[in-house]
Amino acid sequence: MDSAVSRLASDGVNQPVLMRVQSRYYIKADNYAILITDCSCFAEAAEFLFMCFFAFDVMYPPQLKNFYAFFERLLNVHGSAGKLFEFFRALKLN
């Protein structure tokens, strides 16, 4: 695990990224690997990664901005990372 985190850091990856080691999913944030507990599939792990951008107030990497904009559109979230209130309001059940 430590070698994977170190490799990403040495490659200049600063934003949160999703990692899968064996059958577990992790979010790499700064130089730490955070285990996603109670995660049963890739879709849940990807959703958690998307939420991390809002919780940590991190901008999307320029090369993936359209990818994350797609998720914003699906969840009816307006704007970019850093608007945690809007994100949770979009998840509110009607």
Side-chain angles (χ1 to χ4, degrees):
M1 179 60 59
D2 292 335
S3 64
V5 171
S6 296
R7 174 65 191 264
L8 288 169
S10 69
D11 288 346
V13 177
N14 298 321
Q15 74 276 359
V17 294
L18 184 62
M19 300 186 325
R20 182 173 177 173
V21 178
Q22 295 176 351
S23 61
R24 295 179 155 183
Y25 290 98
Y26 296 83
I27 297 292
K28 180 247 178 226
D30 289 331
N31 290 324
Y32 298 98
I34 304 166
L35 174 64
I36 306 173
T37 57
D38 299 326
C39 181
S40 62
C41 66
F42 174 76
E44 289 176 357
E47 179 183 15
F48 189 83
L49 173 63
F50 180 72
M51 290 187 289
C52 283
F53 280 92
F54 285 84
F56 298 140
D57 195 17
V58 178
M59 296 306 295
Y60 303 132
Q63 63 272 30
L64 294 174
K65 190 168 182 150
N66 290 334
F67 174 77
Y68 286 107
F70 172 73
F71 284 110
E72 286 183 353
R73 182 83 171 171
L74 283 177
L75 295 172
N76 196 27
V77 177
H78 302 288
S80 59
K83 297 186 178 181
L84 186 61
F85 178 75
E86 285 184 17
F87 177 76
F88 286 110
R89 188 177 70 209
L91 294 177
K92 184 177 107 177
L93 298 174
N94 293 324

